[in-house]
Every structure is written in C-alpha cells, then in structure tokens.
Amino acid sequence: MASSHVSALCLRALGMAVMLELWVRCNDTGLCKVYAPGDILIGIVSSVHSKVKDLQTRIRPAPYTCTDFDLNPFVQSLAAIHTIETINDSGFLPGIQLGYQMCDSCAYGTKALECVENMLSSNGSHKLLSDYSDFSAPVKAFLGDRYSELSIPMARFLSLYMIPQISCTSSSPALSDKLRYASFFRVIPSDVYQTKALAKFMKHFHWDWVGVVTLDGDYGKPALEKFLKDSNEENICVAYQEELPNYLGYTDIEQCIKEVADQIENTPNAKVVLLILRPEHVKMIFEEMIKRNITRIWIASDAWSTTRSLMKMKDINKVGDIFGFTFLTGNIPGFKDYLQNLTISPGVRNDFIREYKQIRFNCSSGQQSEHTSPSACNVTDPQEANDDYLLQAVDLTEAYTQRVAVYALAHAIKELLQCNDTVCSGDTNFLPWKLVDILHKINFTLDKETYSFNKFGDFENAYDLMLWKMVDNGRVPEVVGKFFISNGSMEIYKDKNPWPNDTAPLSRCSQSCLPGTEKNISSIQCCYSCTNCTEGYYSDKYDQPACEKCPKGSWSLPGSSQCQEWKIWFLEWPSAYSIVVLVGTVIGILLLVFSLIFFIQHRERPLIRGILVISCLMKLGLMVSFGSVIVFLGRPNIHLCRAQQTMYALGFTLCVACILVKAFYTLIAFMSSSPHRQRALRKLDKPLVIISFLTLGQALICIFWLKFDPLDVQETPSKTQPLTLNLLCTQGSMYGFGAMHVYIALLAVICFIMAFKGRDNETDPIVFSMLIHLFAWLCFIPVFITQEELRPIVQISAIMVSSYGVIFCHFTPKWYKILSEKADTRKTAKSLGSLPTNGQDSGIVSRRSLESISSPSQPQARFSFAESNTSDWDCSSLYSEVPSSIISNSDVRLQRNHYLPGVPEVQDVQCSETWPRRTEIKLSGVSSNRNSSNKSGFLLSKDIL
C-alpha cells in the first residue's frame, strides 16, 4: 500500500515536472504550439497558417493573429514529428531522446524571426553576447521553413550563432551562398537546377514564347532572374513578366490578380505560363481564369506543384494542362496509420492537431469550412475523432523530405555524440555550431538511397516531372518524366507523353520554321521569319537557327532539308547527242575516204592531177579533226582533254594551210597583169614548205599552251540540271586556247582575202568554206564564254560545221564536175560521130564555137574545146595547133602567117599556165578578109581545176 502510494506520488511529481517544463518552454506568448521534451531539442518552424490578420493596419509590435489553416505544411510538420518519434522508438540514438518544439511562422518572415528568437531564449530571455562561440541554445537545430521568403531571414539570423537550419522546400538560389547563410542546409536542389529543368522542359516541346508570374519577394525574384538566364540559353523568350505581392493580406491583391489575368488573356500566343507563386496565389489566378473561360498550359514551381487542394478545387479541369516539378518524394513507413489515428501523446503539446480536429469535426455552422467532415455532427468529441481525410487532401509523398531532413540531423548528432549500438558517450548539451561541419561531411543511407550535402549545403538529386492528370472533376499527380541534375538532361516517358507524335500545342512568337529553312531573327530572339536555305546548305530540324553546309560530295537545292549525292554529267556514249555526233563523224570520215578513193581513181584528170597531194593532206587534216570530236565523248580526263584540243588544232590547221596554198596560187594568177610582181610571188610558191611551216606554228602554240597553261578536268555545278556536276575540261587561263583558235582564224581570214582578191569560179570554194568556218566560230565564242556547261557541245558542233563546210565546198564540186564532164564527153562524141583516139585533147575548136566567133562584129570571144577522152590539154597541146612556137617562162607569144579555118587571121597568140590549172590562150589578129583593116581579139581558155 505504501509502495503504491509512493508510486502515485512519483507519477504525480513527474507529471508536475513535465507540466512545469511545458509551461516554461511554452509560455503565454502564444508562440509555442507544439512541444515534446527530450535530451536534444529540434526546432520546427512551419507555416501552418498562411495569413496574418490585419497586417496592413499594424502600427505596434502586438502579437500576430494567424488565419487560414493550411493542410500541406501541417502534414509536413506531422511527418517531421512522426520521424522524430520513430527514431526515438528505434533506439537509433541509444539512451538519447530527441525532443521538438514547433512554432507557426504564418508565412510571414518577421514572425518567423520571432519564432527563432523565442526558441533560442533560455528562461524566457535571449542572451546578447560579444562572442557566440560558447553559445549553447536549448534548440540545437532547426527544421524549416517552407518558403524561401521565410528561410532567408531565419538563415541570416541563425548564421550569427552558426546553428544549423535544414529546409525541405526552400529552393531559392540565394540560400546556396555560404558567405551569407553559413549554417543553412536543404535536402532539395537549388532553384538553379529547377529553372534549368523548366527551360529544358519547355525546349522539349518547342515552347519559346512564355509568360511568367512571380512573387515580389526573395523567392520569386531570384527564381525569375535565374529562369531568364536559363531560358535565354535554350532560346526561350519571356513574353511578359508579372509580379504579385508576396503577402495575401495586401489590400489590392484582387486587383493585382485581375491585372495579371488581363495580361495572360491579351497575350494569346504565349500559351505556356510559368507560375512561381504560392498555392494561395495560384488558386486566385485559376478562379479568375475559370471566370473568363481562358485555358493555358500552366507550369508549376515547386511551391505548388503537388498541392492537393488546388487539384480538387472547383472546375480545375477548365484551366488547361498543368505541369510541375517536384523534389525528392517517397513513402514514409507507418505515416498513413499515424495520420489516421492522430493522437497527442502524454507529456506532449500539439495545439495544431487540436485545431485541425476542431476544423474537421466541429458541427457548429459558423465554424464549418471546406475541410469539415460531412459526419461532423455525428461526432461527440472532435478531439477523439479520426478519419482518412488527410490521406486524400494532401500528397503524402511530398512530405518524404521531412523524413530525410530529420535523419540527416540524427546522423550528425549520432556522429557528434560518438554513439555506438548501445550508448552515446558525448554530451547532449553540445554547442550547436559543431553540427555544421559534420553536416557538410555527412554521408548517410536511408531507404536504400545514399544522401549527402554538397559544398553549398544542397542535395543534388533529380526532379520528377508531374502532370496533373484529369480524373472526374479533379486532378491527380502523375510522374511523366525526369530531369537529371548530374548531366542536365530532360527525359519524357514515351508511354506517359501527353502529346504523342509531336502534337503539343504551340506557344511561340512566330510559327515554326520547317526543315529546309532557317530563322531570320528580328530584334526579339524568338520572333523571326523563316528563309529558305541557300543552295548547298540544308536544315533537317524544325526551328534550326542556321542552315548547315552540305558534306563534301553532296549538294542541295534551295530550301532543302537534306543533301543528295552529286550526279556527274559528261557526254556519255549512250546519250542521244553522243550518238548524233558519232553518226555525223562516221559520215564525215566516210565521205573523206570516198573522196580519197575517187581522187586516186581520177588522178589523171585535169581537176585532180596537179592537186592530188595537197588534197590528200587536206583529207588527213579533216580526218584528224573529226577524230578530235570522238575524244570529246566519254568521261574526260587530263589526257583526253589535251587530245581534244591538240587533235583539232593540228588537224584543222593542216587543212586550212592546204587551202591557203590554193588561195596563194589564185593570187599569183591575179597578178598576171603585173609580170614582175607575179614572178616575185612565184618564188614563194613552195606548197609543202608553207603547209609544214604553218602546221608547225600551231604545234608550237599547243606545246607552250600545255606546258605553261595546262588543261585539267573540273567539276562545276550545273546551272540547268539540279544536283548535277558538270565534268568538263578546263582550258587553263584561256590564253593558250584563245591563241590556238585565233591562229586558225587568222589563217582562214588570209585565205579568204587572197581568194576574194583573185576571185573567179575557182576561188568560190575557198571563200565559202572560210566564211562557214569563221561564222561557226564567231557563233561559238559568245556561247563558249557564257554557257560553260555547253562548251564541249558547242565546240563539237563548230568543228563538225567547219569540217563539213570544207568537204562540201572543196571536194563535192569536183566529184560533180568530173562526173558531169564524163557525161558531156559522151554526148559530144555521139553528136560528132567520132572521138579522138590518141588519148589527148584534140585541141580543135568546136564547130559551134568557131561559128560563133567568125563574125567580125565580135571583138572578143571565149572558145570551148571538145574532149575525146580524159587526157589533159594545156598550152603545149594548144601550141601544137599553132606552129612556130616561141616558149619562154610559160609566157608564150606566137606569130602566125596562116589562117585557122573559119577564123580570122591570127597575128598574135599568148598562152599562160597558172595554178590552179588554168590554161589561157589569147589570140589577136585580123579578120579573114585580107582587105579589112579591122583587128579582132579572141580568148581561148580551158579551166583545169
């Protein structure tokens, strides 16, 4: 009995001690809402309420009145408490109990500082020291706050004492600055990576014209600044930037929301809107969008990316698609059961649980809210009631970071206190700053994952991309991708892609530039026009900033999305033009062969006998010229290129040189009226020497051309056939090519002038053949210069025309004359009834001719002589008809004292032979009437050529 009484006294004393400690720790200031005793206290700062009442009218440092209970931070604080209790129950720290103290910052930075100051106070007062190296606070470390706007002032204040603060959601890049926030840690990445992930995500779907709405505080501004930098690197432009007040208690908040909605509505091209806001701000914007029936693609910052209350708000499915990135998530063992059976343990104070149950299960009509249970009026005692509402209202996986943060502190404490499996030997009243160095170095494993802080006090794990999937009248989060911090890559799961086959909505200042075009950027990077790629360049992607040059060996047409292999063009043997050229060449060569055989057969004919050698040389030159045409066909190489030009140059030069020799003899004949000049020209009458000299001159030109201005094979793009390279022979620098053609043209002009000057029936072939040649090449020159790819065709055509011109002007008439003379001889023989049998010309003037000139009234006439066979008749044969010949240097003067029958008395006969073979006899005398003093002149002539 006594022992039981003693036990009861002990329990009563223990309860009094606990109550006394709770009273000391949680006095009437109203700051202490949650407290559990322990050997080592951990402070928890959480914005369980999201507003401070009458903040705009605050004029004195009175206590803050907080409103708007927020389930998300409430559940996260419960996750931290549950983890602390789990560690205590597990014996992770042998013999050590972790306690906690929690204060509500009400999403207001100044109140967060008040919470920290209160927790650091000993016996209700805060010590002011000149050196805080030995400062030992009741709370050894802090968890929180949720928002960077609150964590930043707390971190500044705690850095004075070097007390560690670990945040689970504050992601502002500024907090990585260890010079200003030396004791701050967080179990999430910095927004440095979040903004990179946001930009990569937008880039993946080709969104480059987006709107941004941020808060005006320490969270929104740095995040916006970093996003602008990262988006610029990904060529993403911000169509507009709007700011909202950080505090919802701002009097004009509704007007600000309407202005933001106006901006969103008036920028229809910016289909994507990034909201770096708190859930409360997002809710107000969505409500305004629903009223205006405006849909957009919304990108959530980490602050609201998993907020269940937004997912369940009325008409949430009318706002459009919603994406967001979330931090480290997972399931906390036993946490669901903990939430379904919320109780306050003996010796623990938790006013927030009491407040939540009052909201959830209170039946009073004036206190009901959206969180009130439908069965609230059936509950007798709200504090004893429980249900699974929190499991549905809040994303529990988001609270996993609280578990990681608590375990990070627990591992650091375990190392500091030198704990083993049975005992911790260190002093629990340690100086808080000693945990900072350990946290920087700690590396621990939790739930089969290894964690550590980098040099900036941040975790560097991946982000999960969340899609708010439509389900009935609400949304549920679904992981559809991941951003890897280690390599900065974005992955969208193919089976979860909301817009397969690149059918994502457009959010662009300008329409996409299709493959085959490039961006022509205006003053704004994302506003541009699209221009086609130029020839030889391509673009195979959408919105390619610049076209790329085609690889070697390939080419592209303007506006091409890919390059193609070059087609090589040259005069192929099977082509239609090549076949025509071959047929023309063969016909030309056959004509030359026929002409050669014909001339050899009729070599004794007056038309051929004196010119047979020269004619054979002409045919040889033309055959070489025709052969050069064949070399133009087929795939060219440097040797064929040289052969083309040299064969034509030498062959046609030889032909023209032979023609020039003929023209030279006509000039000598023209000089018969000037015997002295004629005799001077006859000294130059060396046909073979002239031909050899002129051909050698062309050979020297070709040698110098090939030596100092060599030919080559060149591939040049075709101007008429797409994606085709013309494989053509080059002509060097054109000096040698020009000299070769000018040389031939000069010889042709000389031939023309000499033939034209001594023009008669025998010079016509020279004149016309040279005119044809010069005309062909005059037409050839402009086409050759302007149409590079037609050069071989034009040159072949000019060669063919020139060669055929010589054939038809020089050889064909002789065939005709010889054949015609044969026919005339046969007719004459039949008419006279007899033919000479001596094989020579008769030299007798035909009766018709004699009768035609016997009249004294004709002072001059041309006599024609009948031929009995193919033998020639010349001056010697004519002289045989006129006795007493005096012959001197082919100029013969004859004196006669007798008469030809029926011909006037011949007193003087003059005979001359010229080359080409023409024999002329000039006779002068008196008429057959001896008594007549009239003298008559007569001309007897025979053309041999």
Side-chain angles (χ1 to χ4, degrees):
M1 187 72 180
S3 60
S4 61
H5 180 70
V6 172
S7 299
L9 290 174
C10 291
L11 290 173
R12 188 174 299 176
L14 180 60
M16 291 294 294
V18 170
M19 293 302 297
L20 179 62
E21 184 178 6
L22 288 174
W23 182 84
V24 172
R25 298 300 309 158
C26 300
N27 50 36
D28 293 335
T29 60
L31 298 178
C32 181
K33 299 293 185 179
V34 179
Y35 178 79
D39 300 306
I40 299 173
L41 281 183
I42 296 176
I44 302 174
V45 180
S46 181
S47 301
V48 177
H49 294 84
S50 59
K51 291 183 181 179
V52 177
K53 188 177 180 180
D54 300 330
L55 193 59
Q56 295 294 325
T57 58
R58 183 178 173 85
I59 59 175
R60 62 189 183 91
Y64 294 100
T65 302
C66 298
T67 61
D68 292 12
F69 192 87
D70 193 338
L71 293 183
N72 275 311
F74 170 64
V75 171
Q76 289 189 4
S77 65
L78 291 180
I81 292 172
H82 170 71
T83 303
I84 292 174
E85 293 176 353
T86 300
I87 291 174
N88 289 337
D89 295 339
S90 65
F92 181 80
L93 298 172
I96 302 295
Q97 287 288 310
L98 296 178
Y100 54 85
Q101 183 177 352
M102 180 176 171
C103 182
D104 185 5
S105 64
C106 303
Y108 186 54
T110 305
K111 190 170 188 308
L113 286 176
E114 183 183 31
C115 289
V116 173
E117 183 182 31
N118 180 264
M119 291 185 193
L120 294 181
S121 300
S122 298
N123 299 322
S125 63
H126 182 68
K127 296 180 180 179
L128 297 177
L129 304 173
S130 59
D131 183 1
Y132 292 99
S133 301
D134 296 327
F135 179 77
S136 180
V139 176
K140 304 300 183 181
F142 285 84
L143 294 176
D145 196 303
R146 182 181 184 187
Y147 303 115
S148 298
E149 179 75 17
L150 281 64
S151 293
I152 287 175
M154 287 175 55
R156 286 184 181 276
F157 186 70
L158 291 174
S159 293
L160 174 66
Y161 308 100
M162 291 299 289
I163 298 175
Q165 172 191 357
I166 301 180
S167 176
C168 301
T169 53
S170 298
S171 57
S172 172
L175 290 166
S176 295
D177 187 352
K178 296 299 103 177
L179 294 177
R180 291 185 292 173
Y181 313 105
S183 62
F184 180 82
F185 297 86
R186 52 187 164 193
V187 293
I188 59 170
S190 163
D191 273 343
V192 168
Y193 303 107
Q194 182 179 196
T195 54
K196 285 183 180 293
L198 291 168
K200 286 286 185 181
F201 171 58
M202 296 175 183
K203 182 69 173 181
H204 180 85
F205 289 109
H206 308 290
W207 296 328
D208 63 3
W209 192 239
V210 301
V212 181
V213 184
T214 65
L215 295 176
D216 63 358
D218 292 334
Y219 169 65
K221 289 183 177 180
L224 173 62
E225 181 179 349
K226 187 63 176 59
F227 174 75
L228 293 176
K229 179 181 178 182
D230 292 331
S231 61
N232 184 65
E233 292 177 357
E234 298 293 341
N235 297 319
I236 297 170
C237 301
V238 175
Y240 55 85
Q241 305 172 34
E242 295 292 329
E243 285 188 352
L244 289 176
N246 188 55
Y247 302 109
L248 292 178
Y250 186 69
T251 54
D252 294 333
I253 185 67
E254 292 183 358
Q255 180 61 31
C256 293
I257 293 294
K258 289 182 180 180
E259 292 176 359
V260 168
D262 290 339
Q263 181 65 69
I264 294 172
E265 183 177 11
N266 295 331
T267 316
N269 287 344
K271 295 292 184 182
V272 174
V273 183
L274 172 61
L275 301 180
I276 307 176
L277 304 171
R278 296 179 183 175
E280 297 78 17
H281 297 84
V282 176
K283 183 179 180 181
M284 298 176 72
I285 290 178
F286 281 176
E287 288 173 347
E288 188 67 25
M289 294 294 103
I290 293 170
K291 289 179 183 178
R292 303 188 184 198
N293 195 27
I294 296 174
T295 61
R296 292 291 186 268
I297 298 173
W298 308 96
I299 310 297
S301 65
D302 59 89
W304 65 276
S305 60
T306 57
T307 304
R308 287 290 181 91
S309 60
L310 291 176
M311 296 180 186
K312 295 184 178 299
M313 69 177 289
K314 184 180 179 181
D315 295 327
I316 185 62
N317 289 338
K318 293 182 179 181
V319 299
D321 296 301
I322 304 174
F323 293 88
F325 285 97
T326 184
F327 301 124
L328 183 67
T329 59
N331 293 316
I332 303 176
F335 190 47
K336 289 184 179 180
D337 292 337
Y338 177 81
L339 294 179
Q340 288 177 304
N341 299 281
L342 277 179
T343 57
I344 302 174
S345 302
V348 174
R349 178 179 177 178
N350 197 322
D351 294 347
F352 295 134
I353 292 179
R354 293 179 178 277
E355 184 177 357
Y356 163 72
K357 289 192 174 186
Q358 192 67 24
I359 293 173
R360 178 63 179 165
F361 302 109
N362 191 354
C363 186
S364 301
S365 59
Q367 297 182 2
Q368 288 187 1
S369 67
E370 58 180 341
H371 303 304
T372 302
S373 172
S375 59
C377 294
N378 297 326
V379 175
T380 304
D381 185 0
Q383 299 301 320
E384 297 295 330
N386 278 299
D387 61 9
D388 60 354
Y389 176 69
L390 290 178
L391 277 60
Q392 308 300 324
V394 178
D395 183 7
L396 301 185
T397 61
E398 186 180 0
Y400 184 77
T401 53
Q402 301 289 336
R403 171 177 168 84
V404 177
V406 173
Y407 266 98
L409 277 175
H411 277 277
I413 293 172
K414 185 174 185 178
E415 182 174 339
L416 180 62
L417 298 183
Q418 302 176 356
C419 299
N420 54 31
D421 294 339
T422 58
V423 67
C424 294
S425 59
D427 185 6
T428 57
N429 191 24
F430 56 83
L431 298 176
W433 59 264
K434 292 184 178 181
L435 286 175
V436 175
D437 185 55
I438 296 175
L439 286 171
H440 275 294
K441 299 176 181 178
I442 199 169
N443 188 309
F444 65 97
T445 300
L446 179 64
D447 300 330
K448 298 181 181 181
E449 293 288 336
T450 302
Y451 301 99
S452 63
F453 296 98
N454 63 14
K455 63 180 180 179
F456 303 110
D458 305 332
F459 272 15
E460 292 183 351
N461 41 6
Y463 288 97
D464 284 336
L465 175 64
M466 309 293 294
L467 167 65
W468 287 26
K469 186 176 180 180
M470 296 183 186
V471 176
D472 297 330
N473 295 325
R475 303 285 181 105
V476 294
E478 181 181 19
V479 178
V480 296
K482 186 178 288 290
F483 176 77
F484 299 94
I485 293 176
S486 58
N487 57 13
S489 64
M490 184 76 213
E491 178 184 358
I492 304 295
Y493 302 146
K494 292 183 179 180
D495 58 333
K496 300 292 183 65
N497 191 339
W499 303 295
N501 302 323
D502 296 328
T503 58
L506 295 179
S507 181
R508 312 177 67 86
C509 178
S510 304
Q511 293 296 320
S512 296
C513 286
L514 300 175
T517 62
E518 64 180 0
K519 291 182 179 180
N520 187 12
I521 299 174
S522 63
S523 57
I524 302 176
Q525 181 180 6
C526 299
C527 300
Y528 49 82
S529 59
C530 302
T531 57
N532 286 336
C533 295
T534 58
E535 188 176 8
Y537 288 80
Y538 75 102
S539 63
D540 56 357
K541 301 179 182 67
Y542 283 88
D543 297 322
Q544 198 158 320
C547 297
E548 300 178 11
K549 191 173 183 179
C550 286
K552 186 176 181 181
S554 62
W555 200 248
S556 66
L557 298 176
S560 295
S561 60
Q562 60 183 356
C563 298
Q564 300 181 20
E565 295 293 328
W566 280 109
K567 299 176 184 176
I568 305 299
W569 178 90
F570 52 88
L571 290 175
E572 297 178 342
W573 290 98
S575 67
Y577 181 80
S578 297
I579 293 173
V580 172
V581 169
L582 284 173
V583 172
T585 302
V586 170
I587 292 174
I589 293 175
L590 290 176
L591 289 174
L592 292 173
V593 172
F594 169 78
S595 180
L596 179 62
I597 296 172
F598 186 88
F599 276 32
I600 292 174
Q601 287 180 345
H602 298 83
R603 60 186 176 277
E604 297 300 329
R605 301 286 296 185
L607 284 173
I608 299 174
R609 185 174 59 191
I611 61 167
L612 183 60
V613 175
I614 303 299
S615 179
C616 289
L617 290 176
M618 286 178 65
K619 293 178 178 65
L620 175 62
L622 290 177
M623 284 187 179
V624 175
S625 182
F626 274 119
S628 71
V629 170
I630 298 177
V631 182
F632 276 91
L633 306 180
R635 189 181 187 92
N637 57 52
I638 187 171
H639 303 295
L640 292 178
C641 292
R642 292 172 178 175
Q644 293 170 5
Q645 305 302 333
T646 54
M647 287 178 66
Y648 165 71
L650 297 177
F652 206 76
T653 299
L654 176 61
C655 179
V656 175
C658 294
I659 297 174
L660 188 143
V661 169
K662 286 186 178 185
F664 182 66
Y665 274 106
T666 62
L667 182 64
I668 293 175
F670 176 74
M671 294 297 178
S672 60
S673 60
S674 178
H676 176 73
R677 186 177 296 177
Q678 191 179 52
R679 284 192 296 272
L681 290 175
R682 286 188 182 280
K683 294 179 182 180
L684 301 176
D685 185 15
K686 308 292 183 184
L688 294 179
V689 174
I690 293 174
I691 293 171
S692 301
F693 178 78
L694 295 178
T695 306
L696 180 61
Q698 184 69 279
L700 291 176
I701 290 175
C702 292
I703 291 172
F704 279 97
W705 177 19
L706 299 180
K707 176 65 178 177
F708 298 104
D709 194 12
L711 285 70
D712 203 351
V713 180
Q714 182 179 3
E715 293 180 346
T716 57
S718 173
K719 296 180 180 179
T720 58
Q721 298 180 356
L723 301 174
T724 301
L725 283 179
N726 293 325
L727 191 62
L728 302 174
C729 294
T730 64
Q731 316 304 332
S733 60
M734 301 297 290
Y735 291 115
F737 182 78
M740 180 265 286
H741 283 281
V742 168
Y743 185 80
I744 298 176
L746 183 61
L747 295 181
V749 170
I750 294 173
C751 290
F752 175 81
I753 292 174
M754 288 192 299
F756 192 80
K757 197 171 183 63
R759 187 177 182 189
D760 60 15
N761 291 335
E762 299 306 322
T763 60
D764 290 345
I766 299 175
V767 171
F768 283 110
S769 64
M770 293 301 98
L771 279 177
I772 291 172
H773 168 74
L774 293 173
F775 180 76
W777 287 97
L778 283 175
C779 295
F780 158 77
I781 289 173
V783 179
F784 188 88
I785 293 174
T786 58
Q787 302 292 330
E788 184 176 356
E789 60 188 80
L790 297 179
R791 285 180 178 180
I793 295 177
V794 174
Q795 192 170 1
I796 289 173
S797 302
I799 294 172
M800 298 282 285
V801 170
S802 298
S803 300
Y804 272 105
V806 173
I807 291 175
F808 289 124
C809 289
H810 286 266
F811 301 141
T812 305
K814 291 181 175 54
W815 309 339
Y816 176 75
K817 281 187 178 183
I818 291 173
L819 296 175
S820 297
E821 287 174 357
K822 281 186 175 183
D824 290 343
T825 301
R826 293 188 186 97
K827 291 178 181 179
T828 303
K830 288 180 180 180
S831 64
L832 295 177
S834 64
L835 292 173
T837 59
N838 59 354
Q840 299 292 332
D841 292 333
S842 66
I844 304 299
V845 181
S846 67
R847 185 176 298 276
R848 174 184 290 182
S849 298
L850 292 174
E851 290 176 353
S852 66
I853 65 173
S854 62
S855 175
S857 64
Q858 294 179 351
Q860 185 172 355
R862 180 179 293 272
F863 292 84
S864 62
F865 297 83
E867 294 185 68
S868 61
N869 53 34
T870 59
S871 62
D872 191 12
W873 58 272
D874 53 13
C875 283
S876 60
S877 63
L878 291 174
Y879 299 159
S880 65
E881 301 299 324
V882 184
S884 306
S885 300
I886 303 174
I887 303 174
S888 174
N889 295 326
S890 300
D891 292 330
V892 180
R893 187 171 296 277
L894 305 176
Q895 299 293 334
R896 302 188 59 158
N897 295 317
H898 62 279
Y899 304 98
L900 293 174
V903 180
E905 182 181 354
V906 178
Q907 292 183 342
D908 183 52
V909 178
Q910 187 178 43
C911 178
S912 63
E913 290 185 59
T914 60
W915 199 99
R917 299 284 293 178
R918 166 174 291 175
T919 303
E920 292 182 349
I921 297 177
K922 292 182 180 180
L923 300 93
S924 60
V926 296
S927 66
S928 57
N929 187 354
R930 293 179 180 271
N931 296 325
S932 176
S933 59
N934 293 332
K935 293 185 177 180
S936 299
F938 307 97
L939 174 65
L940 306 178
S941 66
K942 177 65 177 178
D943 294 336
I944 306 301
L945 187 61

